[in-house]
Amino acid sequence: MSGGRGLGSRYFCTASRGLEQLLGEEVHRKLAASQVEQVSGKVFFTADADVKTLKSLKCAERLFLLVKKLPPIQMPRHKGKAVHVLQKCVIGESGKWLDVVAKWQTLQEFSKRQRCTSDITGTGIKRPLQQEDSGTWKRPKLELDEPLTTTLDEIPTGQYHLHAVIEGSCQSKVPMQTPPSPDELPNSKSQDAASCIDFRVSCRCSGRIAKVFTSQELGRAIGVALGRQMGWKAELRNPMLEVYVHLSDIHCVVGIPIVRLPLASRDYIKSAGLRSTVAWAMAYLADIKAGSLVLDPMCGLGTILLEAAKEWPNAYYHGIDNTASQLQVASANVCFAKLTNSIDLTRASVTELPLLAESIDVVICDIPFGKKFKISQDTKTIMPNILKEMVRVLSVNGTLVLLLSQELSLDIQHWQKTKSHQTNKGKLDDAQQNADTTPVEPSTHPAEKVDMENMSAAENEQAEVKREVLASLVPTGIFQVSLGVTEASIHRYKKISIT
Ligand SMILES: C[S@@+](CC[C@H](N)C(=O)[O-])C[C@H]1O[C@@H](n2cnc3c(N)ncnc32)[C@H](O)[C@@H]1O
């Protein structure tokens, strides 16, 4: 946790496991955030930024205004009593909710919207034309099957008049069952605004609490209590306000999303491939400089190139793939993102790249694994040749960033160990000849005990390629990341010598 002035609002983002540190760096860099705290799957921070700047975070899955963060809640054994304790802890004071909702309203750029609406009624509510005559205005609902390409602040005028409703003088659609006491509500304006809110609670339980309650059960119980306390109406299909609750063994976190869609759902990507946050993280780790030539030699739908070119527009990007259908979709993606000037695509094989030696500054690649992307030979067998070709086209001091399955990651780390053992063995032989007594740990890995003479010609050739590749690459970091159902590793290398 870094110190800070504590100005601005308190937020948190959810992130794929493994990306918390990079997200922490991103909030520092882009938002000048203070009090940054990273925990598994989340980053908390304080920032004074507008929605546009907040939405520029690329490593985050979702972004929330923090309502509260508590240590894990101690529950009584009795289930009924436990519900009561949880409701009380999660909801707490009404004033806190009103404060956070007021901040949330500000972030939705209310004043800007009011300026933009020319045909506003006396109450500040713009009526859709077809309903004006009847005088009974109703907020049209967004259908759930409508493609969710809009966020609350982007929904076209006439469809969703959230700010007008809240700022106007409308009354609660449901009478409050337990009216809050006046001292619980700081001012009547925010009380009016708050009483017009409809909401839903999205609850996630994990750890011990999930053994007692289902997420739905608790979501419902918290929703009922919150609605009663605040005079808000439950609306499950299309609520104005979403309340996110995560109860785990680490903490109890409550927040309100700033934008309806996850930040990770990029509006510039038409067909999604690799998880956008992971693609962005790979590009970030590659340290792309202005004027750099960046290659993804197994680009698929082009997600890594799109993420990189959006964030680092002053570089040149080249995508290669051997599958025509993948390249077709990649090309449509590049056009959709308006990046035809910076991204080129070519059909070729990663093992025979149509590029000059040392012509590329950065190679970034999501090596296929799993059922979806099988390469003709076993990836493990072909990997030395793939790497050899990538290293050939990479310039000295260039960066190589790879996304690997856990199995491949361990395999490559093992090559490295074997190499250092062999180097050490060489050192030991020299040392023994020179009567130097420096102790070198003998290897215990069975593969290292392989008798070189018993290796087949193919194995020998592979071993030679591995040696050649490793001689020119220095590992500069390994980062574990979660891809949802699977775990993967990002490996980063620097090329130090000509192959
Ligand atoms: C894991 S996918 C890449 C996904 C990509 N990162 C995305 O976001 O869409 C691997 C890609 O490697 C391509 N591929 C498989 N064998 C190849 C080869 N020998 N040369 C070039 N590309 C290859 C596949 O066609 C596939 O598009």
Side-chain angles (χ1 to χ4, degrees):
M1 185 160 146
S2 73
R5 293 163 299 154
L7 290 176
S9 304
R10 192 87 182 132
Y11 297 93
F12 70 97
C13 287
T14 51
S16 294
R17 251 175 305 111
L19 295 187
E20 300 90 348
Q21 189 197 323
L22 302 190
L23 178 56
E25 288 170 21
E26 198 186 11
V27 298
H28 267 301
R29 203 165 41 89
K30 289 186 176 166
L31 311 178
S34 59
Q35 295 171 293
V36 180
E37 187 195 348
Q38 291 150 214
V39 298
S40 172
K42 291 188 188 71
V43 174
F44 297 84
F45 59 93
T46 301
D48 188 10
D50 58 21
V51 175
K52 196 172 166 217
T53 316
L54 289 163
K55 279 166 73 177
S56 70
L57 294 175
K58 296 294 183 72
C59 210
E61 287 291 329
R62 298 200 70 177
L63 168 67
F64 301 84
L65 260 170
L66 183 69
V67 179
K68 62 168 61 186
K69 175 168 165 267
L70 304 167
I73 298 169
Q74 298 302 323
M75 294 186 300
R77 279 171 187 264
H78 186 274
K79 208 172 164 181
K81 283 184 188 157
V83 171
H84 187 69
V85 168
L86 286 166
Q87 284 173 323
K88 228 175 141 195
C89 289
V90 168
I91 297 166
E93 296 285 300
S94 301
K96 177 73 188 165
W97 286 94
L98 293 176
D99 281 353
V100 177
V101 168
K103 277 180 189 163
W104 176 75
Q105 287 173 318
T106 311
L107 286 166
Q108 306 303 313
E109 296 176 297
F110 285 10
S111 54
K112 189 175 134 207
R113 279 201 139 248
Q114 276 192 319
R115 276 201 305 279
C116 293
T117 48
S118 53
D119 52 343
I120 276 180
T121 64
T123 59
I125 298 170
K126 186 184 175 194
R127 295 164 189 262
L129 283 177
Q130 70 277 17
Q131 289 168 355
E132 212 154 33
D133 293 341
S134 73
T136 51
W137 182 84
K138 273 191 189 151
R139 187 188 73 208
K141 297 284 180 184
L142 291 176
E143 293 305 318
L144 279 186
D145 54 357
E146 183 178 336
L148 281 172
T149 51
T150 45
T151 58
L152 276 184
D153 53 332
E154 290 164 353
I155 292 166
T157 315
Q159 283 205 4
Y160 203 100
H161 301 272
L162 176 59
H163 76 276
V165 175
I166 292 173
E167 299 244 301
S169 57
C170 71
Q171 294 301 309
S172 173
K173 294 172 211 154
V174 275
M176 285 185 255
Q177 293 175 18
T178 315
S181 63
D183 58 349
E184 274 188 308
L185 298 170
N187 64 60
S188 61
K189 192 165 174 250
S190 42
Q191 181 180 358
D192 276 353
S195 66
C196 293
I197 284 174
D198 58 39
F199 78 110
R200 83 170 159 221
V201 172
S202 304
C203 183
R204 218 182 104 208
C205 299
S206 54
R208 270 179 291 120
I209 209 160
K211 296 199 173 104
V212 186
F213 295 103
T214 65
S215 297
Q216 289 86 339
E217 242 179 326
L218 270 188
R220 212 175 306 123
I222 292 164
V224 167
L226 184 61
R228 191 174 296 155
Q229 177 167 320
M230 302 303 297
W232 295 348
K233 185 189 169 195
E235 164 58 60
L236 300 184
R237 266 174 74 80
N238 182 31
M240 289 172 178
L241 196 73
E242 184 128 31
V243 174
Y244 166 97
V245 179
H246 185 197
L247 303 166
S248 72
D249 292 342
I250 308 171
H251 51 217
C252 155
V253 175
V254 184
I256 297 176
I258 306 286
V259 283
R260 180 168 284 206
L261 277 185
L263 293 186
S265 307
R266 313 288 202 230
D267 55 8
Y268 49 83
I269 296 188
K270 194 175 175 195
S271 307
L274 175 65
R275 200 175 260 229
S276 60
T277 51
V278 174
W280 181 89
M282 291 174 76
Y284 172 72
L285 289 169
D287 194 20
I288 297 166
K289 303 267 188 317
S292 290
L293 278 173
V294 181
L295 169 73
D296 179 350
M298 301 177 103
C299 70
L301 311 186
T303 320
I304 297 172
L305 299 169
L306 296 168
E307 285 298 313
K310 280 285 175 192
E311 187 88 358
W312 295 277
N314 299 323
Y316 305 96
Y317 298 90
H318 199 119
I320 287 181
D321 202 286
N322 69 347
T323 310
S325 58
Q326 292 284 94
L327 283 174
Q328 239 169 26
V329 183
S331 174
N333 268 343
V334 171
C335 290
F336 185 78
K338 300 190 175 61
L339 288 169
T340 44
N341 284 341
S342 50
I343 303 180
D344 285 326
L345 298 169
T346 307
R347 188 171 176 194
S349 172
V350 65
T351 51
E352 277 175 274
L353 295 170
L355 297 166
L356 294 175
E358 293 178 54
S359 56
I360 300 291
D361 302 299
V362 172
V363 175
I364 313 179
C365 188
D366 163 15
I367 304 286
F369 60 92
K371 284 193 188 117
K372 199 168 160 198
F373 295 106
K374 280 238 158 81
I375 37 184
S376 42
Q377 280 170 275
D378 176 26
T379 321
K380 218 167 149 179
T381 321
I382 201 177
M383 198 59 204
N385 289 327
I386 293 179
L387 271 182
K388 186 183 172 190
E389 188 62 351
M390 288 179 184
V391 170
R392 181 186 68 80
V393 299
L394 192 61
S395 57
V396 174
N397 287 326
T399 308
L400 170 66
V401 176
L402 303 171
L403 182 69
L404 301 165
S405 66
Q406 292 300 66
E407 194 189 346
L408 261 183
S409 165
L410 289 173
D411 200 42
I412 294 183
Q413 287 178 67
H414 172 64
W415 301 2
Q416 201 74 40
K417 271 195 205 149
T418 315
K419 177 196 159 197
S420 50
H421 170 61
Q422 281 167 358
T423 314
N424 284 337
K425 190 175 175 301
K427 272 192 206 146
L428 184 60
D429 292 344
D430 290 349
Q432 279 167 346
Q433 274 176 19
N434 297 331
D436 186 341
T437 52
T438 315
V440 177
E441 284 293 310
S443 168
T444 49
H445 197 291
E448 287 170 36
K449 293 180 184 150
V450 168
D451 180 351
M452 302 292 272
E453 281 174 17
N454 289 337
M455 280 168 100
S456 68
E459 283 169 334
N460 263 327
E461 201 184 307
Q462 267 223 348
E464 185 52 40
V465 174
K466 285 179 190 173
R467 259 195 300 279
E468 209 177 291
V469 166
L470 291 173
S472 44
L473 289 180
V474 172
T476 56
I478 297 181
F479 309 81
Q480 304 270 324
V481 285
S482 165
L483 297 178
V485 280
T486 43
E487 299 290 311
S489 291
I490 301 176
H491 282 217
R492 185 177 57 184
Y493 301 89
K494 189 173 177 157
K495 180 168 166 178
I496 48 158
S497 66
I498 299 168
T499 38

